[in-house]
Amino acid sequence: MTAAKKLMSVRRDWRERDVRVVLAALIIAVATVATIALFASQLQRTLVSSASSFLAADRQLEAEDGRPVPEPWIAEAVKRGLETGRMVEFSTMVLGNDAFQLVSVKAVSNEYPLRGELEIQGDSEGSREQIKHGPARGEIWINPRLLKLLKIGLGDTLEVGNRNLTVSGLLLREPDGGFSLAALAPRVMMHADDVASTGVVQEGSRVEYVYLFAGKEAALDDYYKWLQPQLGPSQEWKGVRDGETLSRSLDRSESFLLLGGSLAVLLAAVAVAVASRQYALSQRDTVALLKTLGLGSAGIGQLYLKRLALWGVTGMVGGFVVALPLFWLLTLLLGEALGRPVAFQLDSSALTPALLTAVVSLFAFAYPPIRRLKNVPAMRVLRSQPGETGREAWPDMLIALVAVFGLIWLYAGELSLVVSLLGGLALLLALLAFLGWILVAMLRKVRGGGHAWRLALVGLYRHRRASLSQIAVFAMTLMLATTLILVRTSLLDDWQAQLPDDAPNHFLINIAPDAVDDVAGFWKERGQPLDQLYPMVRGRLTELNGQPVKEVVSKDQRVGALNRELNLTWMDSLPADNAIVDGRWFEAGQKDGVSVEAELAGKLGLALGDKLTFTIGSDKVTEAVTSIRTVQWDSMKPNFYMAFPPAGGLTDMPATWITSFYLPRDRKNALNEFSRRFPTVSVLEIDNIIERIQEIVRQVTQAIEAILVLILAAALVVMAAVVSATLQDRQREGALLRTLGGRQSLLVRSTVLEFALLGGFAGVLGVAAAEVAVWALQFRMFEGAFSWHWQVVLPIPVISALILALFGRWQLSPVLSVSPMLLLRRLE
Amino acid sequence: MQTINPDSQRPTLRVENLTHRVSLETDTLTILKGVSLEINRGESVAIVGRSGSGKTTLLGLLAGLDTPTEGTVELDGSVISGLSEDERARLRAHRVGFVFQSFQLLPALTALENVMLPLELASMDAPEMRARELLERVGLGERLAHTPRQLSGGEQQRVAIARAFASNPAILFADEPTGNLDNRTGQDISDLLMALNQEQGTTLVMVTHDEQLAARCARQFHIEAGELTEPVTRRELTD
Ligand SMILES: Nc1ncnc2c1ncn2[C@@H]1O[C@H](COP(=O)(O)OP(=O)(O)O)[C@@H](O)[C@H]1O
Ligand SMILES: [Mg+2]
């Protein structure tokens, strides 16, 4: 290798402390962003596909009028390259071994399910299998509870209308078994082609035809555009994005992960900026010499640009090398959480933000001080020139600030978040400048203590600029980490509060008014009291201020609530998790008015006083909007778009009652007795879904922990960068002290003490700032109430002092453990 | 590579009315005042004067490391004070060698690589062979792979001298080459410097406050508070 090449080689660079810091920081930044982006897209895919599996397809077309849809509709879908499938759903009595039972039949075609899996048990031994098809012709799969109800076993026959079907499996889970309130009675599943031969389904009987579609998003959208004008009022197109609960959890977790990621990138950016400035300063002699030896400034510029490019490549490659195993681990955990393997899939577009981070970090943080190297006067070889005044560094700061702002905006996507984050930092730094000054002044006055203590104080004071900036940086780090810990804790609490362990996991639907007391009594006797019972009336919103709603509300078909029957209710008091955002809740004795859910009100552009007309059966009810309220859709309790006052507009309408309650897994047998005593009440079991959501929450928490590790790593890299800035001074002082007879142990103790002091102060300041930042975040982002977090916050200054003491001991070990002679020589 | 100037009468280095001022925060400081001098090809010249008199500043201007406030410096026929920084760098790569008081070796490179560096920067042939040759010549044939940190001050200055002569410069500038060395070592280094200078026929411009060393040069310029006093030559003294 030639000398010039060697001078600029990465291998040589790597021996340069500052370069190691820059590279480490770049790697951490890239790794953080890549891990988060990869994981977020994986999470998105997984959740959408598991949400898709709630439909057993990407889209469903439901016909509620008891008639199949025209054949050409399906043919058109096939022609457009979509996968299709078909289901027929109806209720009927079946006959087992001398026992009748009302069941809810789902008859499926060969293609079912297009998405998701079924779980069945093919023999009584109890081994569960996951399969991707329904029963064959002539066979029927049944809910395990039916074994007792019908006194039959596997292999027996079941009479469905005119047809005998063989019970060939127990149906444990169907992908689309969960979220719809239309489910009835215990489920049986048979083949769609057997339906006709049962003779149960006739023209006009209560039967629902459901068509399944799957394929590319664009193709599905195109097909819907074609289909939409032909849809009748009882035909409904359903997509997964209506699955509110999951997509809400997903959005939250994503912005939370990204917030954590921004912090790591911010720290890495600081490290890159500090270290590259340090590096540029150390390169001035080399540049001056190269100029003297005849290298022009263009050549020097090129030299360092090449080097920067190499750093960039190293940072990207290194970052991905770190990110991939992390991502793999998280994906593995995700699979574990979901109870099924998740396809490990690298979304290459998710890497773009990571690459962008590397490039921006290099050019906005590392490059500016290095760019100025080519201005180093050659005269420097003869006489050290006046150094940088710091005025040149101002544009660097500006560039860096803009870049940081841009990057975090890119990740968080929310301006208010970026502003509160960076605002918190600015506040922190201003505060630190002030408090740091007081600290330094105070420490000077402290007398007494051992040699080490005095030396530590002297050290703090002598490097007061470094001390101040170290306190500032570490306090900032601690603030970020503490903020994350706090927000994470409160976010989790938030989630836990929404989905406590005894969150309702069963719905009871279709309770006849005169059975309400008996049903409530039944569960009370068994120690599983019901939550609030609500009356439910099915009706459509048909007119708005006297005009047909379909004309008034443009063609925005996303207002799904208009396409189907709504569940209307009446109640006298506002449910605890609802909140009035406009108007007033019904007063005692009030009989008019209707309360509308806020999002729907927003989409329809409703205001207080607007007159809504509902069509319920053959009746029409018109009421004015008296309040608008928010609803916790993911509360797993019955929620309603429209609420009337008791004895209000819904009086005399045919109502059934609905409620939810918690039933532990080991007591599910009680459902058998319940179904026998109340055959007409539908039981909706959603415990599987709840478990899944809880697992996802846990999973996201794990991902946040992984990000925390990256943040801490970034923080330590920042510290290393700042230590670099004082390293030379410290070496000189250490050598001097030891030459004058100071013992090594004294030097070690005073250094450790000095860093512990730094850490302690940084801890106190950081924690105080974190409380402020958390308050801002909770206020702006999570809409939570503020509270102090002493338990979390108190140990942090101590831990921080400890970490920094150890860190200082480690980072300064070359200063502390080397003989004074060698030190003097090295400094020459 | 060395081009022989056919017109030997013409001076290699001509300085006219050189004035250098630096602006400080409050006022401006005049470091050099109206310096004029001529140095001929192959001549060895010492610039002597007290510390702070402006020697280093003058050397920097002569070598084109800096540009004067007023006046011209003409090196090998081109007015370097009128050249751009990059043009001056190119000129230095091919025509000029340096020896510094503080050696200025790159700590990351071995002795051999330090000597190869200017050869590579000037795109010369077989840099390694030439560098080995020179290091042998300065008595460091056994220390090629050592880094500056593993060498004593005297040894480092030998490497620096080898580097200075590596690209066969027409003119060599030395700023207090023995300033950081003890007497004995300084003596050895000045012997080596003068000997190599003789062998290569290089023009030597040396700043020193070492009277003995200065006396070994053909001519001496005395500088005092930025002004040149009359040049004296050894020949004049001995005649
Ligand atoms: N860039 C500068 N800024 C301020 N003062 C300078 C600068 N360069 C040189 N000087 C001053 O000019 C004087 C001459 O310096 P120098 O040429 O280094 O002298 P010498 O090499 O003879 O000791 C000194 O007093 C020095 O402090
Ligand atoms: Mg000098």
Side-chain angles (χ1 to χ4, degrees), chain A residues 1-7 12 15 285-286 289-299 374-383 385 825-826 828, chain B residues 56-57 59-61 65-66 85-86 89-90 92-93 98 100 102 104-106 108-110 113-114 116-118 120-121 149-152 163 175 180:
Chain A
M1 195 192 309
T2 68
K5 267 197 192 136
K6 180 176 174 188
L7 195 60
R12 208 202 81 59
R15 268 190 266 141
D285 286 339
T286 303
L289 184 70
L290 288 174
K291 280 194 168 183
T292 305
L293 296 182
L295 194 62
S297 53
K374 62 175 192 284
N375 302 335
V376 168
M379 196 56 191
R380 195 184 158 82
V381 287
L382 290 177
R383 178 179 42 231
Q385 298 284 300
R825 243 190 103 140
R826 187 179 294 177
E828 194 28 73
Chain B
T56 298
T57 310
L59 191 79
L61 293 174
L65 295 177
D66 206 351
E85 200 194 307
D86 285 351
R90 210 170 309 131
R92 279 198 298 272
F98 288 93
F100 307 100
S102 52
Q104 300 280 11
L105 299 178
L106 289 176
L109 301 183
T110 62
E113 289 160 345
N114 264 292
M116 282 163 64
L117 189 60
E120 288 172 6
L121 291 179
R149 223 167 254 169
Q150 295 163 314
L151 299 172
S152 73
R163 178 181 65 187
D175 186 21
N180 273 4

Side-chain angles (χ1 to χ4, degrees), chain A residues 382-383, chain B residues 50-52 54-57 101 175-176 207:
Chain A
L382 290 177
R383 178 179 42 231
Chain B
R50 294 209 291 171
S51 176
K55 306 183 296 290
T56 298
T57 310
Q101 179 175 2
D175 186 21
E176 313 252 16
V207 158

Side-chain angles (χ1 to χ4, degrees), chain B residues 22-29:
Chain B
V22 292
S23 42
L24 303 177
E25 250 155 61
T26 46
D27 55 346
T28 56
L29 178 71

